[in-house]
Amino acid sequence: MDFDTWDTIYQKILSDFGFSRKEDERSAFILSDLLSSLSYTSDLSILRKTINKKNVLVCGNAPSLVDDLKIFDLQDYVIIAADGAVETLMNAGNVPDIIVTDLDGNVEKEIDANYKGSLMVVHAHGDNIDKLRKYVPHFKNVIGTTQSHPLYNVYNFGGFTDGDRCVYLARRFSASKIELAGFDFTDKNVSDFKRKKLKWAEWLINQVTLL
């Protein structure tokens, strides 16, 4: 998805949630500075090599994830985990290939997975600046993302929540097939805020087939 197309969607998300574009952009600049000072890679070839023409399983953090994982032969897939799904995967002995996170989940599990080989795709937005400063220096092999205008070392592949950003990442780097595990867009046991995010996630994932 080109940025102009995404920006039209992004403006609607900002309006719907009352988020600040200025704070999203400030967070992206802070992440950019962190990545630069730590000499973390901005080379996307590692993502391309991992995903291109591979079958991808995107793991969300719905309660169904444990049962959903039993359906798949995980050895046949590149596993991209959305933030909170990392803990479930790691507890089952599965190290994700890629973790897409805004650092709202169990970051200690993410650090453990990262040191066992997971590539981190860390997202900057207006509400996680403190977490970026606290946790990014503890990772290795990090690529930064933003939902606002991309920078030279902070990218925008499209997507809003961790889960749908996983799907957009897989599509951006030409996965052969994308399947979902641990997604429940109609979960009634969540807050109104989370329910609104799930609606956006579902809509955005459905758009992938139209791009």
Side-chain angles (χ1 to χ4, degrees):
M1 178 184 289
D2 65 84
F3 181 73
D4 288 341
T5 302
W6 167 251
D7 197 39
T8 300
I9 298 169
Y10 174 49
Q11 290 180 53
K12 293 177 181 178
I13 292 171
L14 290 174
S15 177
D16 195 19
F17 287 89
F19 292 154
S20 166
R21 184 175 191 136
K22 182 178 179 181
E23 285 300 290
D24 281 350
E25 291 174 347
R26 184 167 81 94
S27 184
F29 276 106
I30 288 169
L31 178 56
S32 176
D33 287 344
L34 280 168
L35 297 176
S36 179
S37 67
L38 294 164
S39 300
Y40 286 161
T41 183
S42 59
D43 181 2
L44 299 183
S45 64
I46 186 171
L47 284 171
R48 189 170 294 108
K49 181 179 179 181
T50 302
I51 296 171
N52 185 46
K53 297 182 180 179
K54 308 284 181 56
N55 295 330
V56 168
L57 182 65
V58 173
C59 296
N61 193 37
S64 63
L65 178 58
V66 173
D67 290 333
D68 288 351
L69 290 175
K70 298 173 184 177
I71 300 170
F72 301 95
D73 184 346
L74 300 186
Q75 294 183 347
D76 293 339
Y77 292 88
V78 172
I79 299 176
I80 304 181
D83 205 350
V86 174
E87 183 172 4
T88 299
L89 285 162
M90 292 292 287
N91 288 345
N94 301 302
V95 179
D97 296 286
I98 300 170
I99 296 171
V100 173
T101 178
D102 63 358
L103 306 176
D104 273 348
N106 186 331
V107 181
E108 296 303 321
K109 284 287 187 182
E110 293 177 2
I111 292 171
D112 183 29
N114 177 232
Y115 276 79
K116 289 177 178 176
S118 298
L119 173 66
M120 303 301 300
V121 179
V122 176
H123 189 68
H125 58 67
D127 293 331
N128 74 342
I129 291 172
D130 289 344
K131 290 180 179 179
L132 293 174
R133 288 173 169 152
K134 179 177 179 180
Y135 291 117
V136 168
H138 294 282
F139 293 121
K140 59 181 182 177
N141 299 326
V142 179
I143 289 173
T145 64
T146 176
Q147 56 203 26
S148 58
H149 202 285
L151 307 173
Y152 83 96
N153 62 345
V154 177
Y155 302 94
N156 188 333
F157 304 123
F160 169 50
T161 73
D162 290 319
D164 57 82
R165 281 188 288 106
C166 290
V167 175
Y168 277 73
L169 180 71
R171 188 194 183 281
R172 167 65 176 76
F173 290 97
S174 304
S176 292
K177 179 168 64 173
I178 304 170
E179 301 208 50
L180 306 182
F183 281 77
D184 182 357
F185 299 114
T186 60
D187 189 347
K188 294 180 173 56
N189 298 311
V190 297
S191 66
D192 290 342
F193 177 76
K194 178 66 173 179
R195 192 172 295 114
K196 185 190 288 190
K197 290 182 72 175
L198 287 172
K199 286 181 179 179
W200 270 106
E202 182 179 24
W203 184 84
L204 285 164
I205 289 171
N206 286 336
Q207 299 311 297
V208 169
T209 59
L210 304 177
L211 298 176

